[in-house]
Amino acid sequence: MGDPRRLIPRVDGLLADPRLAEAQVRLGRELVRQVIADVQNRARRGEIAPEQVHDAVLSALPQRASVLRPIVNATGVLLHTNLGRAALSVGAVEAVVAAAGSVDVEFDVDTGRRARRGRQVLDALMTAVPAAESVHVVNNNAAALALAATSLAAGREIVLSRGEMVEIGDGFRIPDLLTSTGARLREVGTTNRTTLRDYAEAVGPQTGFVLKVHPSNFVVTGFTAQVPVRELATLDATVVVDIGSGLLAPDPSLPDEPDAASALADGAALVTASGDKLLGGPQCGLLLGLRAYIEQLRRHPLARALRVDKLTLAALEATLRGPPAPIARMLHAGPDELRARAESLQAGLAPLGVDVRAVPSQATIGGGGAPGLVLPSSALSLPVAFANVLREHDPCIVGRVHAGRLLLDLRSVPPEQDPVLHDAIALAAPA
């Protein structure tokens, strides 16, 4: 009897299979070859028969060339940093696809000459925040702050309240970021109280700028005091405000969240912000403010290293000009709407024998936005065993475990994904 391993299909024969032709175009020849090799090794170990190799290769092919998996965010954290923060709008997704080819990112089609990079998105950002004389975009908010510190305060002092010396995640801290640029920190006030006099006594010939940082991921309560931007603007110093979360204009549903328009109106020379938080766009850092400062930052050598690519520019412009981003819909969804969705899903799943309940829930903004704010929501409550099964689904569904049950909070789930939840839960239900 011959060795059955000799019957395992060869790589070239498998690649010639018409059923794999489309996969090679979509995924690339090398990725398909790797899948074939993995399946052949399974056959050599006797896990599958040689005649099963063709079908096993087709089943093992990934849906996409990237290993990043689409996820339905049912955690109730609207801007979940571990899940990529803001989901893009339909308009932004279409813009990214259009920008995947050749586009006029630095080209004027009317004159046939080079044009200012990203001028379209800069115009859109100026329109969104008329109080800004000029704007600039870099690759994240930390980059925006680093560029401002390098350009305006290298070898000089940045005056910063001790209560605003924030750690921004993964061990990175605002003081370390600032001093890495060659600037020196001049700490003022205390953790819980800083006054205008504290700033005034620190400002002098060595001052590069006064920095106000929104403590976006924590809240200090009790015996506290901080100095608003309009009072800082009375000092004989440049005022830079890091609002963090990317709110461009006041939002009544976020009364305590700083916004770019208000900070500029109150006298800030520069405002830095994130594009992938409350604005709902791609990851980027926004710089808004006085023309002279923006131009100085734009021409600094570091600006080249921090510039964004065409895909980011396209997504940001579409976010500013196009339909509302998902974060806006999530933030402003009414409690009655959320409850109705939960009850509808429960009604569709209960006849299938699923132990599911529509329950009240509490959602949060996340991503360093509106710390302490709780948003009333509704969720599906399931046995905790569903958590692992739903994470293995495609798309992956992630909720949160509370009191021994899995909660799928609907405020962070777009309504059009409700059928995805229904089908995944139905499939995961015990027979």
Side-chain angles (χ1 to χ4, degrees), residues 89-100 103 310-311 313-319:
S89 68
V90 173
V93 172
E94 291 177 349
V96 169
V97 173
V103 290
K310 61 180 181 178
L311 303 182
L313 291 171
L316 179 57
E317 182 187 2
T319 300

Side-chain angles (χ1 to χ4, degrees), residues 154-166:
R156 304 178 70 192
E157 293 181 345
I158 297 174
V159 180
L160 174 65
S161 168
R162 290 187 173 90
E164 297 173 4
M165 299 179 71
V166 180

